[in-house]
């Protein structure tokens, strides 16, 4: 890992050694290595993914030189899979690279078991019929699938996996776990040991805002029947109470307390999102349950018992104006509480594992500790099978998108990307390939799109003529700029799925290069 630390220093700061180790163990299969697929795989190779297998049965043509940086003049007439594989290997020789010179469609049809060896499959530029077959194959073998496609100035990315659990979701904005409105005994005692009315100006200016808010929240609750400030007026009064404690204008600790005073009014207990996870049927564990759900079962027991309705404490505190002695003591109090909570959860995990007939120490201590630290931020993502979405989309959402000016272009491209596949199935070519037949192709594509909308229950709905015209004008071109963007989005989602960090996108991602907009459709 020492070499990796130097090589991947910057990304290690984002997803850590555990995330990098997961990447280095991953085996990725790419179907079709045109510009979209090559760009996606390039990002993963540079990131240090373990191994790649490129599947493509075509030869490099002169037209490929204009949109695929992974081939050059010497590649013309050669196997595209072999050429791209060689270029990618040059970017990072630590990555094991293989290629299979075969049509992805043929492989899906004749050798479905081939895909079971991979961690994740990236399917690019596949038509709908092949995507549906591949999705069924991947779901049966629990292989993660990402479909990506660029088509002229539009493109899409769709994740398909039965269930994806995230411990380190790393949300951009999340309230500190300080328990200002529900302090445990040790924090209470520490706060009580400090006098807010001290006449020593150094002490008064360097009392941590955590202590100020714990004491002032208790004072407020005592004079308000045990309630904490909840209305806008009460919150304003609470801030005035804090201001009244200041004896100088330069007291940064009190300014910090005033800025953080809203945290006192935060709801106690657990969020509705975490409650939903705890009550999920998967939390009723057995011998085949995943480690995640075993830990969720332990967490549920902890919250109902030792936690007193709260999740395990995270144990970290933000920087704040404070005497060094006060800050260190406060840090120790939070860390000790977090450690005690972790030990309680760990014991429950061991007991559950034993109860369901598994090795009690099969889940590492470090995993349980990370789970406890992130317990409030757990996320479970479940994705509908692609066939289910395409045959039975959420009709109310589809109709809403069609009539919403902000989403009409995105859903229009979503429908048209399906319509061009139906066009190709009917006419053995994509629309717009022959300039002389452009007008006829536009009319045909419009008829197919209207029919598709009718099949989905949106009779009477129509797409704009401009969108249909543009889709024909694209002529199935894979533009490098669009392909690079779609490939970049796809590789970003691959990293989320493999590292199990950050929350992967839900729904179908549509890029609209005409209006420079990216949107997610939840269908």
């Amino acid at each position: 890992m020492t070499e990796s630390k130097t090589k991947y220093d910057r990304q290690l700061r984002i997803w850590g050694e555990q995330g990098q180790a997961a990447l280095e163990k991953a085996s990725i299969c790419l179907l079709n290595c045109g510009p979209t697929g090559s760009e996606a795989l390039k990002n993963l190779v540079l990131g240090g993914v373990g191994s790649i297998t490129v599947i493509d049965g075509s030869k490099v043509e002169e037209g490929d030189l204009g949109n695929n940086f992974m081939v050059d003049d010497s590649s013309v007439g050669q196997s595209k899979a072999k050429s791209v594989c060689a270029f990618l290997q040059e970017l990072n020789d630590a990555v094991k690279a293989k290629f299979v010179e075969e049509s992805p469609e043929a492989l899906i049809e004749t050798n479905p078991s081939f895909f079971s060896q991979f961690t994740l499959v990236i399917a690019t530029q596949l038509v709908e019929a092949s995507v549906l077959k591949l999705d069924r194959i991947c779901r049966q073998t629990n292989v993660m699938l990402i479909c990506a496609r660029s088509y002229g100035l539009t493109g899409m990315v769709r994740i398909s996996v039965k269930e994806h659990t995230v411990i380190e979701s790393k949300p951009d904005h999340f309230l500190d776990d300080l328990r200002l409105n529900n302090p445990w005994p040790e924090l209470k005692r520490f706060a009580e040991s400090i006098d807010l009315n001290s006449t020593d100006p150094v002490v008064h200016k360097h009392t941590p805002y955590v202590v100020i808010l714990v004491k002032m929240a208790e004072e407020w609750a005592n004079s308000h029947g045990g309630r904490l400030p909840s209305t806008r007026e009460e919150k304003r009064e609470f801030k005035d109470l804090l201001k009244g404690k200041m004896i100088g204008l330069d007291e940064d600790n009190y300014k910090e307390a005033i800025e953080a005073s809203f945290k006192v009014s935060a709801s106690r207990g657990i969020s509705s999102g975490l409650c939903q996870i705890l009550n999920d049927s998967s939390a009723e564990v057995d011998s085949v349950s995943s480690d995640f759900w075993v830990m969720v079962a332990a967490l549920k027991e902890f919250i109902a018992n030792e936690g007193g309705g709260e999740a395990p404490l995270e144990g970290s505190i933000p920087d704040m104006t404070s005497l060094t002695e006060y800050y260190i003591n406060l840090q120790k109090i939070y860390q000790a509480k977090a450690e005690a909570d972790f030990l309680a959860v760990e014991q429950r995990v061991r007991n559950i594992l034993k109860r369901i007939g598994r090795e009690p120490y099969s889940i590492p201590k470090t995993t349980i500790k990370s789970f406890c630290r992130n317990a409030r931020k757990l996320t479970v993502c479940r994705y509908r099978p692609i066939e289910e979405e395409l045959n039975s989309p959420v009709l109310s959402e589809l109709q809403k998108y069609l009539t919403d000016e902000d989403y009409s272009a995105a859903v229009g491209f979503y429908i048209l990307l399906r319509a061009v596949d139906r066009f190709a199935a009917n006419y053995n070519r994509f629309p717009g390939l022959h300039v002389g037949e452009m007008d006829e192709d536009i009319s045909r594509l419009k008829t197919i799109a209207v029919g598709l909308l009718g099949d989905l229950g949106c009779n009477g709905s129509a797409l704009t003529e401009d969108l249909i015209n543009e889709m024909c004008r694209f002529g199935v071109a894979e533009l490098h700029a669009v392909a690079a963007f779609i490939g970049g989005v796809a590789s970003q989602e691959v990293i989320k799925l493999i590292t199990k960090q950050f929350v992967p996108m839900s729904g179908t991602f549509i890029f609209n290069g005409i209006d420079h907009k990216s949107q997610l459709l939840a269908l």
Side-chain angles (χ1 to χ4, degrees):
M1 197 70 190
T2 309
E3 187 185 341
S4 292
K5 278 184 178 179
T6 308
K7 193 173 189 177
Y8 306 120
D9 176 63
R10 290 195 174 186
Q11 63 199 48
L12 279 166
R13 301 179 199 195
I14 300 172
W15 52 71
E17 290 185 16
Q18 195 176 347
Q20 187 63 36
L23 271 179
E24 290 176 12
K25 286 179 191 170
S27 174
I28 307 294
C29 176
L30 172 70
L31 303 186
N32 288 319
C33 57
T36 307
S38 297
E39 288 292 334
L41 212 49
K42 174 204 72 180
N43 298 327
L44 298 171
V45 166
L46 290 171
V49 74
S51 66
I52 59 168
T53 301
V54 180
I55 316 292
D56 197 311
S58 62
K59 305 290 185 186
V60 178
E61 299 175 0
E62 286 194 5
D64 295 320
L65 305 181
N67 67 359
N68 194 339
F69 289 156
M70 302 298 142
V71 295
D72 62 14
D73 292 338
S74 65
S75 308
V76 176
Q78 303 295 314
S79 159
K80 191 184 286 186
K82 183 179 180 181
S83 301
V84 168
C85 212
F87 270 84
L88 289 171
Q89 185 86 72
E90 284 180 26
L91 296 176
N92 190 345
D93 57 10
V95 176
K96 295 172 186 172
K98 294 191 296 184
F99 68 92
V100 176
E101 196 176 350
E102 188 174 345
S103 157
E105 291 84 359
L107 198 60
I108 291 167
E109 285 287 347
T110 61
N111 192 8
S113 61
F114 173 82
F115 299 99
S116 63
Q117 64 187 291
F118 301 106
T119 310
L120 185 145
V121 175
I122 305 173
T124 66
Q125 307 305 98
L126 287 183
V127 295
E128 186 177 300
S130 296
V131 167
L132 297 183
K133 288 173 188 171
L134 180 62
D135 187 38
R136 285 194 290 270
I137 293 165
C138 289
R139 281 177 174 264
Q140 284 166 7
T141 51
N142 289 318
V143 173
M144 295 180 282
L145 172 65
I146 289 187
C147 300
R149 187 176 189 181
S150 58
Y151 195 106
L153 290 174
T154 187
M156 58 77 66
V157 178
R158 165 70 150 81
I159 296 170
S160 186
V161 57
K162 286 181 186 175
E163 178 182 277
H164 180 70
T165 55
V166 187
I167 293 174
E168 296 184 60
S169 61
K170 301 182 179 181
D172 290 333
H173 305 288
F174 212 81
L175 205 59
D176 299 319
D177 191 15
L178 298 176
R179 308 281 168 89
L180 301 175
N181 56 9
N182 192 16
W184 60 98
E186 291 80 6
L187 180 58
K188 258 187 177 177
R189 280 197 294 273
F190 178 70
E192 287 165 1
S193 71
I194 298 172
D195 183 8
L196 294 187
N197 298 316
S198 172
T199 54
D200 183 339
V202 175
V203 172
H204 200 272
K205 286 169 64 175
H206 293 86
T207 297
Y209 82 76
V210 166
V211 171
I212 296 169
L213 289 175
V214 167
K215 289 179 76 76
M216 295 304 290
E218 185 177 22
E219 184 181 314
W220 174 280
N222 289 339
S223 60
H224 289 78
R227 291 186 306 103
L228 290 167
S230 57
T231 65
R232 181 180 292 184
E233 183 59 29
E234 286 177 340
K235 289 174 185 177
R236 187 187 60 76
E237 283 179 33
F238 186 68
K239 282 186 179 181
D240 290 342
L241 203 61
L242 292 169
K243 288 174 186 172
K245 290 286 183 181
M246 294 177 71
I247 57 175
L249 295 174
D250 60 342
E251 294 188 312
D252 289 337
N253 57 333
Y254 275 88
K255 290 176 184 175
E256 289 168 359
I258 291 165
E259 284 179 13
S261 62
F262 70 93
K263 296 177 183 178
V264 167
S265 305
S267 301
R268 291 182 181 180
I270 61 174
S271 67
S272 59
L274 180 54
C275 191
Q276 196 174 345
I277 292 173
L278 296 177
N279 293 326
D280 193 287
S281 59
S282 297
E284 301 295 326
V285 295
D286 55 30
S287 59
V288 295
S289 295
S290 69
D291 290 354
F292 177 87
W293 287 110
V294 169
M295 291 188 287
V296 167
L299 174 64
K300 188 174 183 177
E301 289 182 6
F302 170 86
I303 291 170
N305 294 280
E306 300 94 337
E310 296 276 9
L313 189 75
E314 288 177 27
S316 59
I317 58 173
D319 192 20
M320 63 189 77
T321 303
S322 171
L323 290 173
T324 303
E325 180 191 350
Y326 284 171
Y327 188 81
I328 290 172
N329 287 338
L330 198 58
Q331 217 169 26
K332 286 178 179 176
I333 288 166
Y334 274 86
Q335 287 170 352
K337 169 67 172 164
E339 180 68 14
D341 286 355
F342 154 67
L343 291 172
V345 173
E346 184 191 20
Q347 189 55 52
R348 290 189 173 278
V349 168
R350 307 295 177 214
N351 292 342
I352 290 171
L353 286 168
K354 189 176 181 181
R355 191 167 70 232
I356 62 177
R358 285 172 56 184
E359 163 56 42
Y361 290 87
S362 59
I363 301 179
K365 185 177 284 229
T366 51
T367 303
I368 301 171
K369 186 160 272 191
S370 174
F371 181 88
C372 289
R373 195 167 55 246
N374 294 283
R376 296 188 308 140
K377 307 164 192 169
L378 302 177
T379 305
V380 176
C381 306
R382 293 187 174 113
Y383 299 86
R384 297 177 74 190
I386 295 176
E387 187 170 19
E388 192 179 294
E389 177 191 313
L390 298 185
N391 291 340
S392 308
V394 181
L395 193 56
S396 58
E397 289 297 306
L398 180 58
Q399 289 172 333
K400 184 182 79 176
Y401 292 140
L402 286 164
T403 54
D404 186 330
E405 194 176 329
D406 286 338
Y407 279 88
S408 59
V411 77
F413 279 131
Y414 173 84
I415 295 295
L416 287 169
L417 281 168
R418 295 190 61 192
V420 294
D421 286 346
R422 287 194 178 187
F423 185 106
N426 291 343
Y427 301 104
N428 294 315
R429 64 174 179 81
F430 285 94
L433 284 181
H434 305 308
V435 177
E437 297 182 51
M438 185 68 76
D439 290 342
E440 191 176 355
D441 283 359
I442 290 170
S443 176
R444 287 169 171 171
L445 185 61
K446 181 178 179 180
T447 302
I448 290 170
V450 170
L452 179 56
L453 284 167
D455 292 345
L456 297 174
C458 295
N459 293 306
S461 297
L463 305 180
T464 66
E465 297 286 344
D466 286 347
L467 274 190
I468 297 168
N469 292 348
E470 283 298 309
M471 208 67 182
C472 287
R473 193 174 68 85
F474 295 159
V476 80
E478 232 181 315
L479 307 178
H480 180 263
V482 176
F485 179 73
I486 294 296
V489 171
S491 58
Q492 172 183 279
E493 298 308 308
V494 169
I495 289 170
K496 290 179 188 177
L497 290 169
I498 290 173
T499 62
K500 292 201 166 188
Q501 295 181 28
F502 301 95
V503 180
M505 60 189 182
S506 57
T508 301
F509 172 88
I510 299 289
F511 173 63
N512 172 359
I514 298 171
D515 298 327
H516 305 145
K517 285 173 77 173
S518 299
Q519 289 168 304
L520 273 173
L521 303 179
L523 295 168

